[in-house]
PDB file of all heavy atoms in Angstrom:
ATOM      1  N   SER A   1       0.794  -1.229   0.005  1.00 36.00           N
ATOM      2  CA  SER A   1       0.016  -0.028   0.012  1.00 36.00           C
ATOM      3  C   SER A   1       0.916   1.253   0.035  1.00 36.00           C
ATOM      4  O   SER A   1       2.039   1.251   0.433  1.00 36.00           O
ATOM      5  CB  SER A   1      -0.917   0.052   1.274  1.00 36.00           C
ATOM      6  OG  SER A   1      -0.045   0.044   2.408  1.00 36.00           O
ATOM      7  N   CYS A   2       0.370   2.263  -0.480  1.00 39.00           N
ATOM      8  CA  CYS A   2       1.024   3.582  -0.632  1.00 39.00           C
ATOM      9  C   CYS A   2       1.398   4.153   0.810  1.00 39.00           C
ATOM     10  O   CYS A   2       2.383   4.737   0.906  1.00 39.00           O
ATOM     11  CB  CYS A   2       0.181   4.604  -1.324  1.00 39.00           C
ATOM     12  SG  CYS A   2       0.042   4.267  -3.194  1.00 39.00           S
ATOM     13  N   GLU A   3       0.627   3.855   1.770  1.00 40.00           N
ATOM     14  CA  GLU A   3       0.887   4.174   3.194  1.00 40.00           C
ATOM     15  C   GLU A   3       2.237   3.548   3.623  1.00 40.00           C
ATOM     16  O   GLU A   3       2.893   4.001   4.537  1.00 40.00           O
ATOM     17  CB  GLU A   3      -0.151   3.897   4.104  1.00 40.00           C
ATOM     18  CG  GLU A   3      -1.399   4.660   3.844  1.00 40.00           C
ATOM     19  CD  GLU A   3      -2.279   4.176   2.717  1.00 40.00           C
ATOM     20  OE1 GLU A   3      -1.970   3.126   2.216  1.00 40.00           O
ATOM     21  OE2 GLU A   3      -3.271   4.872   2.328  1.00 40.00           O
ATOM     22  N   ASP A   4       2.581   2.351   3.103  1.00 44.00           N
ATOM     23  CA  ASP A   4       3.703   1.606   3.553  1.00 44.00           C
ATOM     24  C   ASP A   4       5.002   1.769   2.826  1.00 44.00           C
ATOM     25  O   ASP A   4       6.048   1.306   3.088  1.00 44.00           O
ATOM     26  CB  ASP A   4       3.392   0.107   3.477  1.00 44.00           C
ATOM     27  CG  ASP A   4       2.262  -0.355   4.348  1.00 44.00           C
ATOM     28  OD1 ASP A   4       2.083   0.375   5.450  1.00 44.00           O
ATOM     29  OD2 ASP A   4       1.612  -1.347   4.156  1.00 44.00           O
ATOM     30  N   ARG A   5       4.936   2.827   1.865  1.00 44.00           N
ATOM     31  CA  ARG A   5       6.164   2.927   1.127  1.00 44.00           C
ATOM     32  C   ARG A   5       6.581   4.276   1.114  1.00 44.00           C
ATOM     33  O   ARG A   5       5.934   5.330   1.677  1.00 44.00           O
ATOM     34  CB  ARG A   5       5.822   2.624  -0.420  1.00 44.00           C
ATOM     35  CG  ARG A   5       4.908   3.566  -1.141  1.00 44.00           C
ATOM     36  CD  ARG A   5       4.775   3.270  -2.576  1.00 44.00           C
ATOM     37  NE  ARG A   5       3.940   4.132  -3.226  1.00 44.00           N
ATOM     38  CZ  ARG A   5       4.302   5.380  -3.708  1.00 44.00           C
ATOM     39  NH1 ARG A   5       5.402   5.916  -3.565  1.00 44.00           N
ATOM     40  NH2 ARG A   5       3.355   6.176  -4.183  1.00 44.00           N
ATOM     41  N   ASP A   6       7.898   4.546   0.676  1.00 45.00           N
ATOM     42  CA  ASP A   6       8.431   5.967   0.480  1.00 45.00           C
ATOM     43  C   ASP A   6       8.733   6.134  -0.936  1.00 45.00           C
ATOM     44  O   ASP A   6       8.535   5.231  -1.757  1.00 45.00           O
ATOM     45  CB  ASP A   6       9.544   6.130   1.348  1.00 45.00           C
ATOM     46  CG  ASP A   6      10.686   5.200   1.195  1.00 45.00           C
ATOM     47  OD1 ASP A   6      10.853   4.666   0.061  1.00 45.00           O
ATOM     48  OD2 ASP A   6      11.456   4.893   2.110  1.00 45.00           O
ATOM     49  N   ASP A   7       9.287   7.240  -1.280  1.00 45.00           N
ATOM     50  CA  ASP A   7       9.486   7.462  -2.722  1.00 45.00           C
ATOM     51  C   ASP A   7      10.557   6.610  -3.294  1.00 45.00           C
ATOM     52  O   ASP A   7      10.561   6.357  -4.585  1.00 45.00           O
ATOM     53  CB  ASP A   7      10.052   8.869  -2.929  1.00 45.00           C
ATOM     54  CG  ASP A   7       8.885   9.901  -2.574  1.00 45.00           C
ATOM     55  OD1 ASP A   7       7.680   9.556  -2.690  1.00 45.00           O
ATOM     56  OD2 ASP A   7       9.257  11.058  -2.263  1.00 45.00           O
ATOM     57  N   SER A   8      11.392   5.888  -2.534  1.00 45.00           N
ATOM     58  CA  SER A   8      12.321   4.972  -3.130  1.00 45.00           C
ATOM     59  C   SER A   8      11.807   3.544  -3.165  1.00 45.00           C
ATOM     60  O   SER A   8      12.474   2.671  -3.663  1.00 45.00           O
ATOM     61  CB  SER A   8      13.547   4.958  -2.204  1.00 45.00           C
ATOM     62  OG  SER A   8      13.267   4.435  -0.946  1.00 45.00           O
ATOM     63  N   ASN A   9      10.555   3.296  -2.753  1.00 44.00           N
ATOM     64  CA  ASN A   9       9.980   1.939  -2.833  1.00 44.00           C
ATOM     65  C   ASN A   9       8.558   1.944  -3.417  1.00 44.00           C
ATOM     66  O   ASN A   9       7.577   1.721  -2.714  1.00 44.00           O
ATOM     67  CB  ASN A   9       9.971   1.395  -1.371  1.00 44.00           C
ATOM     68  CG  ASN A   9       9.600  -0.088  -1.336  1.00 44.00           C
ATOM     69  OD1 ASN A   9       9.715  -0.791  -2.318  1.00 44.00           O
ATOM     70  ND2 ASN A   9       9.074  -0.491  -0.184  1.00 44.00           N
ATOM     71  N   SER A  10       8.470   2.301  -4.696  1.00 44.00           N
ATOM     72  CA  SER A  10       7.253   2.363  -5.373  1.00 44.00           C
ATOM     73  C   SER A  10       6.574   0.951  -5.431  1.00 44.00           C
ATOM     74  O   SER A  10       7.234  -0.047  -5.685  1.00 44.00           O
ATOM     75  CB  SER A  10       7.446   2.856  -6.814  1.00 44.00           C
ATOM     76  OG  SER A  10       8.024   4.109  -6.782  1.00 44.00           O
ATOM     77  N   CYS A  11       5.280   0.884  -5.080  1.00 46.00           N
ATOM     78  CA  CYS A  11       4.741  -0.365  -5.033  1.00 46.00           C
ATOM     79  C   CYS A  11       3.899  -0.725  -6.218  1.00 46.00           C
ATOM     80  O   CYS A  11       3.694  -1.941  -6.548  1.00 46.00           O
ATOM     81  CB  CYS A  11       3.731  -0.337  -3.795  1.00 46.00           C
ATOM     82  SG  CYS A  11       2.315   0.750  -4.156  1.00 46.00           S
ATOM     83  N   GLY A  12       3.394   0.175  -7.008  1.00 46.00           N
ATOM     84  CA  GLY A  12       2.700  -0.052  -8.280  1.00 46.00           C
ATOM     85  C   GLY A  12       1.212  -0.535  -8.047  1.00 46.00           C
ATOM     86  O   GLY A  12       0.494  -0.745  -8.981  1.00 46.00           O
ATOM     87  N   ALA A  13       0.850  -0.590  -6.825  1.00 43.00           N
ATOM     88  CA  ALA A  13      -0.534  -1.107  -6.523  1.00 43.00           C
ATOM     89  C   ALA A  13      -1.623  -0.171  -7.086  1.00 43.00           C
ATOM     90  O   ALA A  13      -2.600  -0.626  -7.682  1.00 43.00           O
ATOM     91  CB  ALA A  13      -0.691  -1.238  -5.045  1.00 43.00           C
ATOM     92  N   CYS A  14      -1.471   1.168  -7.014  1.00 44.00           N
ATOM     93  CA  CYS A  14      -2.480   2.107  -7.524  1.00 44.00           C
ATOM     94  C   CYS A  14      -2.278   2.525  -8.969  1.00 44.00           C
ATOM     95  O   CYS A  14      -3.134   3.231  -9.459  1.00 44.00           O
ATOM     96  CB  CYS A  14      -2.574   3.326  -6.480  1.00 44.00           C
ATOM     97  SG  CYS A  14      -0.945   4.167  -6.520  1.00 44.00           S
ATOM     98  N   GLY A  15      -1.138   2.191  -9.464  1.00 46.00           N
ATOM     99  CA  GLY A  15      -0.854   2.578 -10.875  1.00 46.00           C
ATOM    100  C   GLY A  15      -0.480   4.075 -11.023  1.00 46.00           C
ATOM    101  O   GLY A  15      -0.453   4.498 -12.171  1.00 46.00           O
ATOM    102  N   SER A  16      -0.334   4.820  -9.960  1.00 43.00           N
ATOM    103  CA  SER A  16      -0.033   6.187 -10.039  1.00 43.00           C
ATOM    104  C   SER A  16       1.444   6.489 -10.131  1.00 43.00           C
ATOM    105  O   SER A  16       1.817   7.701 -10.348  1.00 43.00           O
ATOM    106  CB  SER A  16      -0.607   6.936  -8.832  1.00 43.00           C
ATOM    107  OG  SER A  16       0.079   6.481  -7.703  1.00 43.00           O
ATOM    108  N   CYS A  17       2.335   5.420 -10.007  1.00 49.00           N
ATOM    109  CA  CYS A  17       3.707   5.737 -10.066  1.00 49.00           C
ATOM    110  C   CYS A  17       4.233   5.541 -11.365  1.00 49.00           C
ATOM    111  O   CYS A  17       4.304   4.312 -11.959  1.00 49.00           O
ATOM    112  CB  CYS A  17       4.419   4.752  -9.036  1.00 49.00           C
ATOM    113  SG  CYS A  17       3.793   4.711  -7.396  1.00 49.00           S
ATOM    114  N   GLU A  18       4.504   6.575 -12.100  1.00 51.00           N
ATOM    115  CA  GLU A  18       4.894   6.464 -13.462  1.00 51.00           C
ATOM    116  C   GLU A  18       6.161   5.693 -13.761  1.00 51.00           C
ATOM    117  O   GLU A  18       6.496   5.086 -14.771  1.00 51.00           O
ATOM    118  CB  GLU A  18       5.190   7.850 -14.077  1.00 51.00           C
ATOM    119  CG  GLU A  18       3.779   8.677 -14.172  1.00 51.00           C
ATOM    120  CD  GLU A  18       4.031  10.067 -14.836  1.00 51.00           C
ATOM    121  OE1 GLU A  18       5.112  10.327 -15.192  1.00 51.00           O
ATOM    122  OE2 GLU A  18       3.134  10.804 -14.924  1.00 51.00           O
ATOM    123  N   SER A  19       7.065   5.669 -12.676  1.00 59.00           N
ATOM    124  CA  SER A  19       8.313   4.884 -12.858  1.00 59.00           C
ATOM    125  C   SER A  19       8.169   3.402 -12.479  1.00 59.00           C
ATOM    126  O   SER A  19       9.230   2.753 -12.514  1.00 59.00           O
ATOM    127  CB  SER A  19       9.321   5.465 -11.834  1.00 59.00           C
ATOM    128  OG  SER A  19       8.952   5.355 -10.596  1.00 59.00           O
ATOM    129  N   PHE A  20       6.949   2.976 -12.210  1.00 70.00           N
ATOM    130  CA  PHE A  20       6.795   1.624 -11.857  1.00 70.00           C
ATOM    131  C   PHE A  20       6.224   0.706 -13.014  1.00 70.00           C
ATOM    132  O   PHE A  20       5.207   1.144 -13.668  1.00 70.00           O
ATOM    133  CB  PHE A  20       5.845   1.426 -10.701  1.00 70.00           C
ATOM    134  CG  PHE A  20       5.688   0.005 -10.252  1.00 70.00           C
ATOM    135  CD1 PHE A  20       6.572  -0.461  -9.240  1.00 70.00           C
ATOM    136  CD2 PHE A  20       4.701  -0.816 -10.790  1.00 70.00           C
ATOM    137  CE1 PHE A  20       6.425  -1.808  -8.838  1.00 70.00           C
ATOM    138  CE2 PHE A  20       4.673  -2.192 -10.391  1.00 70.00           C
ATOM    139  CZ  PHE A  20       5.446  -2.578  -9.422  1.00 70.00           C
ATOM    140  N   PRO A  21       6.844  -0.387 -13.284  1.00 87.00           N
ATOM    141  CA  PRO A  21       8.186  -0.780 -12.922  1.00 87.00           C
ATOM    142  C   PRO A  21       9.187  -0.143 -13.868  1.00 87.00           C
ATOM    143  O   PRO A  21       8.842   0.257 -14.931  1.00 87.00           O
ATOM    144  CB  PRO A  21       8.242  -2.195 -13.124  1.00 87.00           C
ATOM    145  CG  PRO A  21       7.225  -2.536 -14.189  1.00 87.00           C
ATOM    146  CD  PRO A  21       6.164  -1.504 -14.175  1.00 87.00           C
ATOM    147  N   PRO A  22      10.385   0.060 -13.531  1.00 89.00           N
ATOM    148  CA  PRO A  22      11.338   0.619 -14.335  1.00 89.00           C
ATOM    149  C   PRO A  22      11.654  -0.255 -15.573  1.00 89.00           C
ATOM    150  O   PRO A  22      11.453  -1.412 -15.545  1.00 89.00           O
ATOM    151  CB  PRO A  22      12.481   0.919 -13.478  1.00 89.00           C
ATOM    152  CG  PRO A  22      12.494  -0.239 -12.419  1.00 89.00           C
ATOM    153  CD  PRO A  22      10.988  -0.307 -12.197  1.00 89.00           C
ATOM    154  N   SER A  23      12.231   0.394 -16.574  1.00 90.00           N
ATOM    155  CA  SER A  23      12.566  -0.384 -17.749  1.00 90.00           C
ATOM    156  C   SER A  23      13.706  -1.363 -17.421  1.00 90.00           C
ATOM    157  O   SER A  23      14.648  -0.966 -16.640  1.00 90.00           O
ATOM    158  CB  SER A  23      12.989   0.542 -18.929  1.00 90.00           C
ATOM    159  OG  SER A  23      13.626  -0.187 -19.973  1.00 90.00           O
ATOM    160  N   PRO A  24      13.720  -2.577 -17.910  1.00 90.00           N
ATOM    161  CA  PRO A  24      14.894  -3.442 -17.656  1.00 90.00           C
ATOM    162  C   PRO A  24      16.229  -2.836 -18.087  1.00 90.00           C
ATOM    163  O   PRO A  24      17.267  -3.207 -17.500  1.00 90.00           O
ATOM    164  CB  PRO A  24      14.577  -4.671 -18.497  1.00 90.00           C
ATOM    165  CG  PRO A  24      13.034  -4.651 -18.666  1.00 90.00           C
ATOM    166  CD  PRO A  24      12.687  -3.110 -18.715  1.00 90.00           C
ATOM    167  N   ASP A  25      16.224  -1.900 -19.030  1.00 89.00           N
ATOM    168  CA  ASP A  25      17.444  -1.211 -19.463  1.00 89.00           C
ATOM    169  C   ASP A  25      17.996  -0.385 -18.312  1.00 89.00           C
ATOM    170  O   ASP A  25      19.215  -0.054 -18.255  1.00 89.00           O
ATOM    171  CB  ASP A  25      17.205  -0.294 -20.654  1.00 89.00           C
ATOM    172  CG  ASP A  25      16.853  -1.023 -21.936  1.00 89.00           C
ATOM    173  OD1 ASP A  25      17.364  -2.173 -22.046  1.00 89.00           O
ATOM    174  OD2 ASP A  25      16.056  -0.446 -22.689  1.00 89.00           O
ATOM    175  N   ASP A  26      17.200  -0.068 -17.278  1.00 90.00           N
ATOM    176  CA  ASP A  26      17.674   0.738 -16.210  1.00 90.00           C
ATOM    177  C   ASP A  26      18.019  -0.124 -14.933  1.00 90.00           C
ATOM    178  O   ASP A  26      18.182   0.462 -13.782  1.00 90.00           O
ATOM    179  CB  ASP A  26      16.652   1.863 -15.753  1.00 90.00           C
ATOM    180  CG  ASP A  26      16.352   2.711 -16.976  1.00 90.00           C
ATOM    181  OD1 ASP A  26      17.341   3.118 -17.691  1.00 90.00           O
ATOM    182  OD2 ASP A  26      15.218   3.220 -17.204  1.00 90.00           O
ATOM    183  N   ILE A  27      17.984  -1.404 -15.114  1.00 92.00           N
ATOM    184  CA  ILE A  27      18.172  -2.271 -13.891  1.00 92.00           C
ATOM    185  C   ILE A  27      19.558  -2.893 -13.922  1.00 92.00           C
ATOM    186  O   ILE A  27      20.045  -3.287 -15.058  1.00 92.00           O
ATOM    187  CB  ILE A  27      17.094  -3.410 -13.917  1.00 92.00           C
ATOM    188  CG1 ILE A  27      15.700  -2.821 -13.732  1.00 92.00           C
ATOM    189  CG2 ILE A  27      17.478  -4.439 -12.871  1.00 92.00           C
ATOM    190  CD1 ILE A  27      15.515  -2.216 -12.348  1.00 92.00           C
ATOM    191  N   ASP A  28      20.268  -3.017 -12.852  1.00 93.00           N
ATOM    192  CA  ASP A  28      21.540  -3.674 -12.739  1.00 93.00           C
ATOM    193  C   ASP A  28      21.083  -5.096 -12.283  1.00 93.00           C
ATOM    194  O   ASP A  28      20.812  -5.406 -11.093  1.00 93.00           O
ATOM    195  CB  ASP A  28      22.424  -3.060 -11.634  1.00 93.00           C
ATOM    196  CG  ASP A  28      22.972  -1.713 -12.065  1.00 93.00           C
ATOM    197  OD1 ASP A  28      23.261  -1.516 -13.284  1.00 93.00           O
ATOM    198  OD2 ASP A  28      23.108  -0.959 -11.163  1.00 93.00           O
ATOM    199  N   PHE A  29      21.065  -6.084 -13.249  1.00 96.00           N
ATOM    200  CA  PHE A  29      20.826  -7.368 -12.974  1.00 96.00           C
ATOM    201  C   PHE A  29      21.929  -8.258 -12.409  1.00 96.00           C
ATOM    202  O   PHE A  29      23.098  -7.822 -12.511  1.00 96.00           O
ATOM    203  CB  PHE A  29      20.307  -8.123 -14.291  1.00 96.00           C
ATOM    204  CG  PHE A  29      18.922  -7.629 -14.838  1.00 96.00           C
ATOM    205  CD1 PHE A  29      18.850  -6.697 -15.808  1.00 96.00           C
ATOM    206  CD2 PHE A  29      17.767  -8.145 -14.260  1.00 96.00           C
ATOM    207  CE1 PHE A  29      17.611  -6.201 -16.212  1.00 96.00           C
ATOM    208  CE2 PHE A  29      16.565  -7.683 -14.687  1.00 96.00           C
ATOM    209  CZ  PHE A  29      16.559  -6.735 -15.695  1.00 96.00           C
ATOM    210  N   PRO A  30      21.688  -9.301 -11.789  1.00 96.00           N
ATOM    211  CA  PRO A  30      22.792 -10.198 -11.187  1.00 96.00           C
ATOM    212  C   PRO A  30      23.806 -10.529 -12.246  1.00 96.00           C
ATOM    213  O   PRO A  30      23.551 -10.721 -13.364  1.00 96.00           O
ATOM    214  CB  PRO A  30      22.065 -11.365 -10.701  1.00 96.00           C
ATOM    215  CG  PRO A  30      20.627 -10.906 -10.540  1.00 96.00           C
ATOM    216  CD  PRO A  30      20.405  -9.939 -11.599  1.00 96.00           C
ATOM    217  N   GLU A  31      25.068 -10.651 -11.701  1.00 96.00           N
ATOM    218  CA  GLU A  31      26.159 -11.072 -12.523  1.00 96.00           C
ATOM    219  C   GLU A  31      26.044 -12.661 -12.789  1.00 96.00           C
ATOM    220  O   GLU A  31      25.507 -13.330 -12.000  1.00 96.00           O
ATOM    221  CB  GLU A  31      27.461 -10.755 -11.944  1.00 96.00           C
ATOM    222  CG  GLU A  31      27.692  -9.240 -11.782  1.00 96.00           C
ATOM    223  CD  GLU A  31      27.835  -8.491 -13.068  1.00 96.00           C
ATOM    224  OE1 GLU A  31      28.217  -9.111 -14.123  1.00 96.00           O
ATOM    225  OE2 GLU A  31      27.590  -7.293 -13.104  1.00 96.00           O
ATOM    226  N   THR A  32      26.603 -13.025 -13.942  1.00 97.00           N
ATOM    227  CA  THR A  32      26.611 -14.522 -14.311  1.00 97.00           C
ATOM    228  C   THR A  32      27.174 -15.282 -13.240  1.00 97.00           C
ATOM    229  O   THR A  32      26.531 -16.507 -13.027  1.00 97.00           O
ATOM    230  CB  THR A  32      27.307 -14.674 -15.635  1.00 97.00           C
ATOM    231  OG1 THR A  32      26.813 -13.739 -16.614  1.00 97.00           O
ATOM    232  CG2 THR A  32      27.307 -16.119 -16.088  1.00 97.00           C
ATOM    233  N   ASP A  33      28.252 -14.991 -12.609  1.00 96.00           N
ATOM    234  CA  ASP A  33      28.841 -15.939 -11.589  1.00 96.00           C
ATOM    235  C   ASP A  33      28.237 -15.802 -10.129  1.00 96.00           C
ATOM    236  O   ASP A  33      28.847 -16.541  -9.284  1.00 96.00           O
ATOM    237  CB  ASP A  33      30.386 -15.658 -11.557  1.00 96.00           C
ATOM    238  CG  ASP A  33      30.796 -14.196 -11.202  1.00 96.00           C
ATOM    239  OD1 ASP A  33      29.852 -13.358 -11.196  1.00 96.00           O
ATOM    240  OD2 ASP A  33      31.941 -13.988 -10.833  1.00 96.00           O
ATOM    241  N   TRP A  34      27.306 -14.884  -9.944  1.00 98.00           N
ATOM    242  CA  TRP A  34      26.708 -14.859  -8.597  1.00 98.00           C
ATOM    243  C   TRP A  34      25.910 -16.106  -8.397  1.00 98.00           C
ATOM    244  O   TRP A  34      25.283 -16.679  -9.243  1.00 98.00           O
ATOM    245  CB  TRP A  34      25.771 -13.648  -8.520  1.00 98.00           C
ATOM    246  CG  TRP A  34      26.457 -12.299  -8.517  1.00 98.00           C
ATOM    247  CD1 TRP A  34      27.809 -12.128  -8.784  1.00 98.00           C
ATOM    248  CD2 TRP A  34      25.806 -11.067  -8.376  1.00 98.00           C
ATOM    249  NE1 TRP A  34      28.022 -10.719  -8.678  1.00 98.00           N
ATOM    250  CE2 TRP A  34      26.907 -10.097  -8.447  1.00 98.00           C
ATOM    251  CE3 TRP A  34      24.529 -10.609  -8.061  1.00 98.00           C
ATOM    252  CZ2 TRP A  34      26.632  -8.666  -8.288  1.00 98.00           C
ATOM    253  CZ3 TRP A  34      24.290  -9.301  -7.910  1.00 98.00           C
ATOM    254  CH2 TRP A  34      25.320  -8.278  -8.078  1.00 98.00           C
ATOM    255  N   THR A  35      25.866 -16.539  -7.153  1.00 98.00           N
ATOM    256  CA  THR A  35      25.081 -17.665  -6.776  1.00 98.00           C
ATOM    257  C   THR A  35      23.599 -17.211  -6.850  1.00 98.00           C
ATOM    258  O   THR A  35      23.089 -16.326  -6.276  1.00 98.00           O
ATOM    259  CB  THR A  35      25.359 -18.117  -5.275  1.00 98.00           C
ATOM    260  OG1 THR A  35      26.724 -18.600  -5.322  1.00 98.00           O
ATOM    261  CG2 THR A  35      24.458 -19.378  -4.996  1.00 98.00           C
ATOM    262  N   SER A  36      22.750 -18.035  -7.540  1.00 98.00           N
ATOM    263  CA  SER A  36      21.387 -17.742  -7.755  1.00 98.00           C
ATOM    264  C   SER A  36      20.450 -18.705  -6.899  1.00 98.00           C
ATOM    265  O   SER A  36      19.302 -18.221  -6.430  1.00 98.00           O
ATOM    266  CB  SER A  36      20.910 -17.998  -9.133  1.00 98.00           C
ATOM    267  OG  SER A  36      21.151 -19.257  -9.642  1.00 98.00           O
ATOM    268  N   GLU A  37      20.956 -19.992  -6.607  1.00 97.00           N
ATOM    269  CA  GLU A  37      20.002 -20.760  -5.782  1.00 97.00           C
ATOM    270  C   GLU A  37      20.924 -22.016  -5.184  1.00 97.00           C
ATOM    271  O   GLU A  37      22.032 -22.224  -5.665  1.00 97.00           O
ATOM    272  CB  GLU A  37      19.093 -21.470  -6.744  1.00 97.00           C
ATOM    273  CG  GLU A  37      19.518 -22.274  -7.901  1.00 97.00           C
ATOM    274  CD  GLU A  37      18.508 -22.483  -8.998  1.00 97.00           C
ATOM    275  OE1 GLU A  37      17.766 -21.637  -9.235  1.00 97.00           O
ATOM    276  OE2 GLU A  37      18.518 -23.570  -9.612  1.00 97.00           O
ATOM    277  N   ILE A  38      20.353 -22.462  -4.202  1.00 97.00           N
ATOM    278  CA  ILE A  38      20.975 -23.672  -3.591  1.00 97.00           C
ATOM    279  C   ILE A  38      19.917 -24.674  -3.388  1.00 97.00           C
ATOM    280  O   ILE A  38      18.815 -24.479  -2.823  1.00 97.00           O
ATOM    281  CB  ILE A  38      21.572 -23.482  -2.201  1.00 97.00           C
ATOM    282  CG1 ILE A  38      22.630 -22.362  -2.261  1.00 97.00           C
ATOM    283  CG2 ILE A  38      22.145 -24.677  -1.638  1.00 97.00           C
ATOM    284  CD1 ILE A  38      23.088 -21.829  -0.816  1.00 97.00           C
ATOM    285  N   MET A  39      20.020 -25.861  -4.094  1.00 95.00           N
ATOM    286  CA  MET A  39      19.033 -26.979  -4.108  1.00 95.00           C
ATOM    287  C   MET A  39      19.523 -28.059  -3.235  1.00 95.00           C
ATOM    288  O   MET A  39      20.554 -28.669  -3.465  1.00 95.00           O
ATOM    289  CB  MET A  39      18.696 -27.407  -5.526  1.00 95.00           C
ATOM    290  CG  MET A  39      18.017 -26.388  -6.358  1.00 95.00           C
ATOM    291  SD  MET A  39      17.392 -27.102  -7.853  1.00 95.00           S
ATOM    292  CE  MET A  39      16.287 -25.780  -8.475  1.00 95.00           C
TER     293      MET A  39
END
């Protein structure tokens, strides 16, 4: 909910945050050699 977030933690629930979600081009995704899972 909007009451539970601040400007750095957009929730997207109400659709009023134009930056939600950001474009994948603007995201720093995990590196190839990082551990992703332990099974």
Side-chain angles (χ1 to χ4, degrees):
S1 66
C2 292
E3 291 81 6
D4 294 335
R5 68 174 180 84
D6 56 32
D7 291 338
S8 64
N9 186 22
S10 299
C11 66
C14 61
S16 63
C17 309
E18 293 182 3
S19 63
F20 182 90
S23 168
D25 293 331
D26 299 326
I27 296 291
D28 291 327
F29 288 99
E31 299 291 336
T32 302
D33 61 345
W34 292 6
T35 299
S36 66
E37 60 198 37
I38 301 172
M39 290 193 168

